[in-house]
Amino acid sequence: MEMSDGIAEDKIEQSQEEEVPHQQLKGKKLSCHKLRRHDSLDIESSSVRGLHGHDSKTMAWKVILHLAFQSIGIVYGDIGTSPLYVFDSTFTKRINHNDDILGVLSMIFYTLTLIPLLKYVFVVLRANDNGDGGTFALYSLICRYSKVGLIPSEQAEDQEVSNFKLELPNNNLKRASWLKSKLENSQFAKFFLLFATMLGTSMVIGDGVLTPCISVLSAVGGIKRATSAVTNDMIVWISVAILICLFSIQRFGTDKVGYTFAPIVCLWFAFIGGIGIFNFIKFDPTVVKALNPQYIIQYFQRNKKEAWVSLGGIVLAITGTEALFADVGHFTVRSIQISMCSVTYPALIFAYTGQAAFLRKHNDVVGDTFYKSIPGPLYWPMFGIAVLAAIIASQAMISGSFSIIQQSLSLGCFPRVKIVHTSTKYEGQVYIPEINYLLMLACVAVTLGFRSTKSIGNAYGIAVVFVMTLTSSFLVIIMIMIWKTHILLIISYVLVIGTVELVYLSSVLYKFDRGGYLPLAFAAVLITIMYVWNDVYRRKYYYELDHKISPDKLKEVITGTNINQMPGLAIFYSELVQGIPPIFKHYVSNVPALHSVLIFVSIKSLPISKVPAEERFLFCRVETREHNVFRCIVRYGYSDVRNEHEPFEKILIEMLKKFIADDVFWLSQNVLNNDENGGELDDGVVDGENENKDVKQVDEEKRRETIEKEIEAVDKAWCAGVVHLFGENEVIAGQGAGIGRRILIDYAYNFLKRNLRQSDKVFNIPHKRMLKVGMTYEL
């Protein structure tokens, strides 16, 4: 594959300064044998920069506005339906003083302004990783600027995708360098960052379970105002039926669901905003005094501990805020900013202000504030829209769950699941059938188990605030190390945003025994699964790295007299990017026959969101030309969808033939122009002297014949038949392993592996052309 000279040379000069002359000669070819300690392909594979999936400078405003419209239906359903239950969850007993309403309204106003609007829309969204958001996007962004990753794609052999830019020394850069050094030299910091990432991911998925339950139950419960014949049991079962229908339509994708839901959510915001303005004017326009934060202080002075506990209800006003960031991969930063500032934020402010004005005159109906504050003629239309909006509210966190699971899977932190790309127009819109099914079961179980919004609200707050606090922690690291923000701005962020979130966190943790344990239980289960998979994933990689086949051993195997040659093309798959995996030696020792063309394919995930399709494949020759043995690294970002349009095999062969043409052209040109090398181009090219002498005699026509001959050999092998060889590795704990490692490897990991997708299903390899080679790894 043709590669940029500039990128190749720059990256190699940083790690192999003593070999610059040879690398400059090579330009477009890198030898596998030359770099014994640092694989040249591996260095190259980390120099790829991700595409900016949603670059607002090149995207037409028409598309941005379409995405902004779609985002209303996907992103804001959760935060938009919060007015259904915020005042009810805040004043759980009664309103002690009429000015308490102003204190609560003031906190709602400033919380909405500080967290969703200022923090997320104008700060956190800037920390997207080439268009993708979520906890793993923040983690991968940090990994790109410092070597803190523990997964195989982040080893010492890898060059950073984006190094610090060369800048004049200043205090901000010194601070960034200091933090980078501390993170890279602390094993505890590396593990803690990974654990925090897994915790944040688990909490977002927990949101995806709790949001549908509380939103649908709240909306359906409003029917009690119209008739007393509807019992609580009926409301619960109606809610369960609605939830099942919601998860059933996820397979149609974010694109179709968004266009279906967006008009309904727009209508919802219009209704709650309009009714809010009506109630504000009709009942008590003086609630505008709540803009004065003095009412917050007075609220705490009057209610003390009860005021602090009530924060767990107020925080529900910002539930679903993390969806702004988690779902940014489905849309764009600009589209979400437009929809939030022009529709969502104003409508919510009007809605809460109207409810507060109504409560100032009707303290006794605080338990059913939303429906009681609706003017009589609008009750039934509002009830229908509320039920639909509550259904839609679930969509935000469901879509966010799909996005972050896709990211964590690509970084080796989640078991393999099927990723379905649901839109050909917009990147990042995915659907995961297995996760959708499990979320549905969990939602039904929680709804049937808790049966009331108050109990679910206690659980809901913990998940929301935990994720926000973790996001802020990652953001501070990014501000210091990547953005190099002024220290006063960082301190201001921590003192204002950080303090608000920690106060809310302390309040919601108080309700741990009243349902708050639920999201932590979800998180514990998910973190266990992610840790088990990631730990064994890394152990397997290091096992292959320790037992890889040396170049000399490979040549000995290929040229051995006991090995039979047969027509065809064999593709060996592995995740090892530093050499030939041990599975090859195991295969040859049992089947002493090799195909005429061999390709060792290494699948590598980079800590970037997307890898350009034209830069995905990197090739090099492993042996001399007559042996036709190649290595290939196939690089994916964590948001790339694999095997979506064309068969993987076809693309691989086409890129191989392109590499052969470029390789022959490079060799002839450089040898003819560099006679002073004395017939030795590179100590890593086997039999280089003989090859150089041959190439010197090749003219333009002979070069074309050489290319045609080698490509013809590949085509003949392809036509003769292709076999895909996967390692069917049995992983067991090694001798002397402790009981903890035995449980983790022999039972937990193998249970997950038996019940989840295999590598061949990820690439849709036909079973009749697939061969699995069994081998036992003692870890």
Side-chain angles (χ1 to χ4, degrees), residues 54-201:
H54 305 296
D55 190 345
S56 59
K57 293 182 180 179
T58 59
M59 185 179 290
W61 271 102
K62 181 179 178 180
V63 176
I64 292 179
L65 293 176
H66 280 169
L67 289 174
F69 176 72
Q70 270 193 324
S71 69
I72 294 175
I74 298 297
V75 176
Y76 303 112
D78 188 3
I79 193 173
T81 53
S82 295
L84 282 166
Y85 44 78
V86 168
F87 279 105
D88 180 18
S89 300
T90 302
F91 296 107
T92 55
K93 297 178 181 178
R94 61 187 177 86
I95 298 175
N96 297 322
H97 192 283
N98 213 29
D99 281 353
D100 287 351
I101 298 171
L102 296 179
V104 170
L105 177 61
S106 184
M107 282 190 282
I108 291 174
F109 171 76
Y110 285 107
T111 302
L112 279 171
T113 303
L114 286 174
I115 306 299
L117 189 65
L118 294 182
K119 174 189 169 181
Y120 276 89
V121 173
F122 292 110
V123 181
V124 175
L125 288 184
R126 286 185 56 217
N128 70 84
D129 188 16
N130 292 325
D132 285 275
T135 309
F136 261 99
L138 293 176
Y139 176 69
S140 69
L141 196 61
I142 294 172
C143 289
R144 288 167 58 184
Y145 284 83
S146 61
K147 300 177 182 178
V148 298
L150 292 171
I151 56 177
S153 61
E154 307 259 353
Q155 292 185 342
E157 289 83 358
D158 292 331
Q159 296 291 322
E160 299 173 38
V161 177
S162 296
N163 292 312
F164 278 155
K165 297 179 181 178
L166 295 177
E167 300 175 2
L168 293 175
N170 58 67
N171 291 332
N172 292 344
L173 182 56
K174 291 178 181 178
R175 193 180 306 114
S177 301
W178 174 84
L179 178 60
K180 180 175 182 287
S181 175
K182 289 292 184 183
L183 291 176
E184 291 180 346
N185 295 325
S186 172
Q187 195 70 7
F188 172 79
K190 295 178 181 180
F191 275 103
F192 181 79
L193 281 174
L194 181 61
F195 173 79
T197 303
M198 291 180 177
L199 179 61
T201 301

Side-chain angles (χ1 to χ4, degrees), residues 67-83 116-117 120-121 125 211 215 261-262 265-266 268-269 272 317 319-321 323-325 327 331-345 348 389-390 392-397:
L67 289 174
F69 176 72
Q70 270 193 324
S71 69
I72 294 175
I74 298 297
V75 176
Y76 303 112
D78 188 3
I79 193 173
T81 53
S82 295
L117 189 65
Y120 276 89
V121 173
L125 288 184
T211 297
S215 300
F261 285 173
V265 179
C266 285
W268 164 260
F269 282 132
I272 65 172
T319 56
T321 301
L324 292 175
F325 189 43
D327 283 341
F331 307 102
T332 66
V333 172
R334 184 60 56 85
S335 64
I336 290 180
Q337 289 174 336
I338 291 173
S339 56
M340 179 65 176
C341 295
S342 62
V343 178
T344 306
Y345 180 75
L348 290 175
I392 296 165
S394 313
Q395 186 63 48
M397 297 316 299

Side-chain angles (χ1 to χ4, degrees), residues 248-507:
S248 299
I249 65 172
Q250 292 300 313
R251 61 190 179 89
F252 295 110
T254 306
D255 188 28
K256 296 182 178 64
V257 173
Y259 270 117
T260 304
F261 285 173
I264 300 172
V265 179
C266 285
L267 192 61
W268 164 260
F269 282 132
F271 265 81
I272 65 172
I275 292 173
I277 294 173
F278 172 80
N279 288 335
F280 169 74
I281 297 172
K282 179 180 179 180
F283 293 106
D284 189 4
T286 63
V287 294
V288 74
K289 294 185 297 183
L291 291 173
N292 186 350
Q294 180 182 355
Y295 286 97
I296 299 176
I297 299 173
Q298 294 174 356
Y299 176 69
F300 277 91
Q301 288 175 341
R302 282 191 300 268
N303 298 279
K304 298 180 174 60
K305 181 180 177 180
E306 286 187 14
W308 172 67
V309 173
S310 71
L311 291 175
I314 296 172
V315 77
L316 298 181
I318 55 173
T319 56
T321 301
E322 189 66 24
L324 292 175
F325 189 43
D327 283 341
V328 70
H330 293 248
F331 307 102
T332 66
V333 172
R334 184 60 56 85
S335 64
I336 290 180
Q337 289 174 336
I338 291 173
S339 56
M340 179 65 176
C341 295
S342 62
V343 178
T344 306
Y345 180 75
L348 290 175
I349 295 299
F350 290 144
Y352 288 118
T353 302
Q355 287 187 19
F358 173 81
L359 284 177
R360 292 269 287 180
K361 304 298 183 182
H362 305 86
N363 287 183
D364 56 322
V365 296
V366 68
D368 192 18
T369 305
F370 179 79
Y371 283 108
K372 292 291 185 181
S373 65
I374 298 174
L378 294 178
Y379 170 76
W380 281 111
M382 197 62 194
F383 173 76
I385 297 173
V387 172
L388 292 175
I391 296 172
I392 296 165
S394 313
Q395 186 63 48
M397 297 316 299
I398 293 172
S399 300
S401 298
F402 292 159
S403 296
I404 60 174
I405 287 174
Q406 179 197 14
Q407 296 167 9
S408 57
L409 183 148
S410 298
L411 294 176
C413 294
F414 202 86
R416 292 189 185 96
V417 289
K418 182 179 181 180
I419 305 291
V420 179
H421 199 187
T422 59
S423 174
T424 57
K425 293 169 60 180
Y426 307 117
E427 298 180 14
Q429 299 188 355
V430 296
Y431 163 68
I432 305 177
E434 295 96 329
I435 299 302
N436 187 66
Y437 180 72
L438 293 175
L439 286 177
M440 182 186 71
L441 292 180
C443 284
V444 171
V446 170
T447 304
L448 293 175
F450 282 78
R451 310 179 76 85
S452 72
T453 57
K454 288 185 179 179
S455 299
I456 298 175
N458 294 334
Y460 200 18
I462 291 183
V464 171
V465 185
F466 247 114
V467 175
M468 291 180 180
T469 307
L470 286 172
T471 299
S472 288
S473 302
F474 279 122
L475 194 62
V476 170
I477 296 176
I478 290 172
M479 285 179 173
I480 297 173
M481 191 172 66
I482 301 175
W483 294 348
K484 303 176 183 65
T485 307
H486 195 281
I487 189 63
L488 292 180
L489 292 176
I490 297 173
I491 293 174
S492 300
Y493 176 87
V494 172
L495 290 178
V496 178
I497 304 294
T499 301
V500 169
E501 291 177 345
L502 288 176
V503 170
Y504 276 124
L505 183 61
S506 68
S507 176

Side-chain angles (χ1 to χ4, degrees), residues 531-751:
Y531 174 78
V532 167
W533 190 266
N534 181 259
D535 183 79
V536 179
Y537 179 81
R538 285 185 283 113
R539 290 178 188 271
K540 285 172 56 182
Y541 187 89
Y542 291 125
Y543 179 91
E544 291 188 347
L545 188 62
D546 293 338
H547 295 82
K548 67 180 180 181
I549 300 174
S550 65
D552 294 337
K553 182 64 177 178
L554 177 66
K555 183 179 180 181
E556 178 185 333
V557 170
I558 292 176
T559 58
T561 56
N562 61 329
I563 300 296
N564 298 314
Q565 295 289 332
M566 56 183 176
L569 190 150
I571 303 175
F572 289 83
Y573 291 87
S574 168
E575 292 182 340
L576 182 69
V577 295
Q578 282 90 350
I580 307 301
I583 199 73
F584 175 70
K585 181 181 178 182
H586 186 70
Y587 167 77
V588 173
S589 62
N590 288 275
V591 183
L594 290 175
H595 292 73
S596 55
V597 177
L598 301 179
I599 306 175
F600 294 95
V601 174
S602 301
I603 308 300
K604 181 173 184 177
S605 293
L606 300 183
I608 55 177
S609 59
K610 299 175 183 67
V611 175
E614 65 274 11
E615 296 177 322
R616 178 155 293 144
F617 294 83
L618 288 178
F619 288 89
C620 79
R621 294 182 184 273
V622 180
E623 277 301 327
T624 50
R625 281 185 156 72
E626 59 269 19
H627 291 119
N628 288 324
V629 181
F630 304 90
R631 278 192 57 220
C632 173
I633 290 180
V634 187
R635 302 161 299 177
Y636 290 94
Y638 56 75
S639 293
D640 283 324
V641 179
R642 304 182 184 184
N643 195 42
E644 191 66 20
H645 302 295
E646 291 189 70
F648 176 79
E649 174 188 305
K650 178 182 178 182
I651 301 175
L652 178 69
I653 302 302
E654 291 300 325
M655 298 307 296
L656 173 61
K657 291 191 286 187
K658 186 176 186 302
F659 163 76
I660 290 174
D662 293 339
D663 183 52
V664 173
F665 176 81
W666 163 83
L667 188 59
S668 60
Q669 289 294 108
N670 280 283
V671 170
L672 291 173
N673 294 332
N674 292 278
D675 293 336
E676 66 272 15
N677 287 334
E680 183 176 357
L681 176 67
D682 188 307
D683 61 352
V685 178
V686 181
D687 296 330
E689 183 175 351
N690 294 331
E691 286 191 354
N692 291 342
K693 291 179 180 179
D694 293 337
V695 175
K696 287 180 181 179
Q697 303 171 7
V698 176
D699 55 13
E700 183 70 24
E701 183 178 349
K702 190 68 178 289
R703 187 183 68 204
R704 284 198 300 268
E705 291 178 0
T706 303
I707 294 174
E708 291 174 359
K709 180 180 179 181
E710 294 193 13
I711 291 179
E712 183 182 2
V714 172
D715 285 333
K716 284 184 177 179
W718 190 13
C719 294
V722 178
V723 59
H724 300 262
L725 293 105
F726 288 86
E728 186 70 10
N729 304 320
E730 179 184 358
V731 179
I732 61 173
Q735 293 183 355
I739 187 171
R741 187 187 297 182
R742 290 186 179 278
I743 293 173
L744 185 145
I745 297 175
D746 295 344
Y747 298 99
Y749 175 80
N750 284 318
F751 172 80

